[in-house]
């Protein structure tokens, strides 16, 4: 190869590398200021999210008398109607049954949630435990009281901190959490841009430098934690936006594909007074739709236009990785008005996409492996924030020293 051509090629590479470094400096500034301004929020979301990955196990460990039962030999669950009726016996007559959680294993109690209006503006939320084998109440516990800043239980505090930052206004908290999560997505992407090895030194970019000092170790810990958790961090952040701001996200998704959102469906009150079907009947209707599915979450219909929603796990459908299905049921007629089922031939790309959001956010999409990955990613968030702040302070001190020498 002619020496002049080689020299020209080298010069071009240097110019291109210089241009890329200059552009990366811009992305570094964006990443830096987003990280400094939102890193503490990321730490809160991450640590609380790690707790919530195993919230059921933690809750049972904290409240075993209420939430843990012993399975008698050869025993079976009592009928759902008996279990729900047992819960009502320990609550005031005007308490509304708003939600139920089916036992996650043979030693877990039914968790029945009630909302109890104390006045026109104040209410309480309670949980009642019921032994599924005897239909006997194991106890009840106050969860939240309107007007109180902190919920009454540890797990509910973690939930409120994770999803609402303990901000009293639901609308305001949703906007704060949603916008901060969107900006943290930008921070994650700019971090990947800054991390990208322009000189092709991939091993150096993916590993710790051996026998390095504290400064280098902090730098490597920051970049490696960010890179290895980015694949989980990005979908978790987006799904968080979807869950707190569905009314804003769904219209955007509908620009690309039709989307149905099960919480927006309503029951149609009949022309004449009619009794609503019971929550146990709603579960029976869902079980006929998916006989092999195991009920998990059961949304009640305490208000006239609300629907029942029964979410089941373990529904094995050919060609579908997710085994979770949710059935939306009219509270009066018992008619199925929506199926959150990505395996249906009529399911759109948008519906499949939204169906994945909660399983991705919680890690449930990939079983225990997914939950552990989300758990580790959450714990990495404060590491990223602290190492980022340390790196910024180190560079500031270095810049001051250089300025003093001049």
């Amino acid at each position: 190869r002619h020496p002049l051509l080689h020299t020209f090629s080298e010069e071009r590479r240097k110019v291109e590398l210089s241009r890329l470094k200059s552009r990366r400096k811009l992305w570094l500034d964006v990443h830096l200021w987003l990280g400094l301004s939102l890193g503490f929020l990321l730490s809160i979301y991450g640590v609380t999210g790690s707790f919530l990955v195993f919230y059921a196990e933690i809750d049972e460990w904290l409240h075993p008398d209420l939430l843990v039962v012993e399975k008698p030999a050869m025993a079976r669950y009592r009928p759902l109607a008996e279990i729900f009726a047992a819960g009502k016996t320990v609550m005031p007559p005007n308490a509304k049954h708003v939600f139920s959680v089916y036992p996650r294993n043979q030693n877990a109690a039914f968790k029945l949630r009630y909302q109890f209006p104390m006045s026109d503006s104040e209410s309480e939320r309670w949980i009642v435990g019921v032994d599924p084998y005897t239909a006997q109440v194991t106890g009840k516990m106050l969860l939240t009281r309107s007007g109180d800043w902190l919920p009454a239980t540890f797990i509910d505090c973690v939930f409120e901190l994770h999803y609402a930052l303990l901000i009293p206004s639901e609308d305001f908290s949703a906007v704060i959490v949603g916008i901060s999560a969107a900006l943290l997505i930008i921070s994650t992407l700019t971090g990947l841009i800054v991390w990208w090895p322009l000189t092709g030194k991939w091993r150096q970019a993916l590993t710790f430098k051996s026998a390095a000092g504290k400064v280098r170790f902090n730098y490597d810990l920051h970049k490696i934690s960010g890179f290895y958790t980015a694949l989980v961090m990005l979908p978790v952040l987006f799904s968080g936006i979807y869950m707190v701001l569905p009314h804003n996200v769904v219209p955007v998704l509908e620009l690309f594909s039709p989307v149905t959102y099960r919480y927006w469906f309503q029951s149609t009150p009949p022309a004449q007074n009619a009794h609503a079907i019971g929550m146990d009947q709603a579960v029976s209707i869902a079980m006929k739709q998916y006989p092999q599915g195991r009920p998990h979450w059961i949304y009640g219909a305490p208000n006239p236009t609300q629907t029942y929603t029964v979410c089941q796990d373990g529904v094995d459908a050919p060609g579908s990785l997710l085994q979770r299905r949710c059935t939306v049921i009219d509270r009066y007629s018992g008619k199925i008005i929506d199926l959150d089922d990505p395996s249906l031939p009529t399911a759109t790309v948008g519906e499949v996409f939204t169906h994945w959001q909660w399983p991705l956010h919680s890690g449930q999409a990939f079983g225990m492996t997914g939950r552990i990955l989300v758990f580790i990613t959450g714990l990495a968030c404060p590491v990223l924030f602290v190492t980022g702040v340390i790196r910024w302070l180190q560079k500031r001190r270095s810049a001051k020293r250089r300025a003093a020498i001049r």
Side-chain angles (χ1 to χ4, degrees), residues 221-239:
L221 180 59
H222 183 78
K223 70 172 185 178
I224 289 172
S225 298
F227 171 76
Y228 284 112
T229 59
L231 190 62
V232 177
M233 187 85 72
L234 289 170
V236 167
L237 285 170
F238 179 83
S239 57

Side-chain angles (χ1 to χ4, degrees), residues 146-184:
S146 60
D148 289 356
W149 181 57
L150 283 176
T153 67
F154 172 75
I155 285 297
D156 279 81
C157 283
V158 174
F159 264 109
E160 287 297 316
L161 187 57
H162 185 74
Y163 287 106
L165 296 172
L166 296 176
I167 298 173
S169 170
E170 284 188 26
D171 293 338
F172 184 63
S173 66
V175 171
I176 295 297
V177 172
I179 291 176
S180 62
L183 292 173
L184 286 167

Side-chain angles (χ1 to χ4, degrees), residues 16-240:
E16 180 66 16
L17 185 60
S18 177
R19 185 178 66 83
L20 290 174
K21 286 182 176 180
S22 177
R23 184 182 299 171
R24 187 165 70 171
K25 175 63 170 62
L26 171 64
W27 292 122
L28 178 60
D29 289 340
V30 174
H31 181 70
L32 169 65
W33 293 111
L34 284 176
L36 290 176
S37 58
L38 297 172
F40 183 65
L41 286 183
L42 177 66
S43 300
I44 292 175
Y45 298 147
V47 173
T48 55
S50 292
F51 275 113
L52 294 179
V53 168
F54 296 102
Y55 81 92
E57 291 88 342
I58 294 172
D59 219 12
E60 290 170 7
W61 176 67
L62 291 174
H63 308 287
D65 293 341
L66 177 67
L67 302 177
V68 179
V69 300
E70 291 187 13
K71 179 186 177 183
M74 305 298 291
R76 292 188 177 185
Y77 285 2
R78 299 299 302 165
L80 277 179
E82 288 186 28
I83 291 169
F84 293 152
K88 291 180 180 179
T89 62
V90 295
M91 294 300 296
N94 60 337
K96 298 180 179 180
H97 187 184
V98 295
F99 189 69
S100 293
V101 181
Y102 209 82
R104 67 184 185 89
N105 57 34
Q106 64 183 13
N107 295 116
F110 262 93
K111 293 185 281 189
L112 314 181
R113 291 187 178 236
Y114 291 86
Q115 186 166 351
F116 168 48
M118 299 182 295
S119 66
D120 292 340
S121 59
E122 295 183 341
S123 64
E124 293 178 344
R125 287 195 305 117
W126 288 75
I127 185 171
V128 176
V130 178
D131 188 320
Y133 304 106
T134 63
Q136 297 297 309
V137 172
T138 58
K140 67 177 182 177
M141 179 171 60
L142 175 68
L143 299 177
T144 61
R145 180 182 290 115
S146 60
D148 289 356
W149 181 57
L150 283 176
T153 67
F154 172 75
I155 285 297
D156 279 81
C157 283
V158 174
F159 264 109
E160 287 297 316
L161 187 57
H162 185 74
Y163 287 106
L165 296 172
L166 296 176
I167 298 173
S169 170
E170 284 188 26
D171 293 338
F172 184 63
S173 66
V175 171
I176 295 297
V177 172
I179 291 176
S180 62
L183 292 173
L184 286 167
I185 289 176
I186 296 174
S187 178
T188 304
L189 293 173
T190 54
L192 289 173
I193 294 172
V194 172
W195 163 86
W196 192 272
L198 298 176
T199 56
K201 296 179 180 179
W202 291 97
R203 183 176 181 181
Q204 181 177 314
L206 295 169
T207 58
F208 285 91
K209 185 178 181 180
S210 59
K214 293 181 179 179
V215 173
R216 178 69 193 205
F217 176 80
N218 180 80
Y219 170 70
D220 284 347
L221 180 59
H222 183 78
K223 70 172 185 178
I224 289 172
S225 298
F227 171 76
Y228 284 112
T229 59
L231 190 62
V232 177
M233 187 85 72
L234 289 170
V236 167
L237 285 170
F238 179 83
S239 57

Side-chain angles (χ1 to χ4, degrees), residues 218-219 221-223 382-392:
N218 180 80
Y219 170 70
L221 180 59
H222 183 78
K223 70 172 185 178
V383 174
L384 288 167
F385 176 50
V386 172
T387 55
V389 171
I390 292 173
R391 178 67 177 164
W392 173 63

Side-chain angles (χ1 to χ4, degrees), residues 293-311:
R294 186 173 179 275
H296 181 201
W297 290 348
I298 309 167
Y299 294 81
N303 298 322
T305 60
Q306 285 185 298
T307 59
Y308 288 116
T309 299
V310 181
C311 293

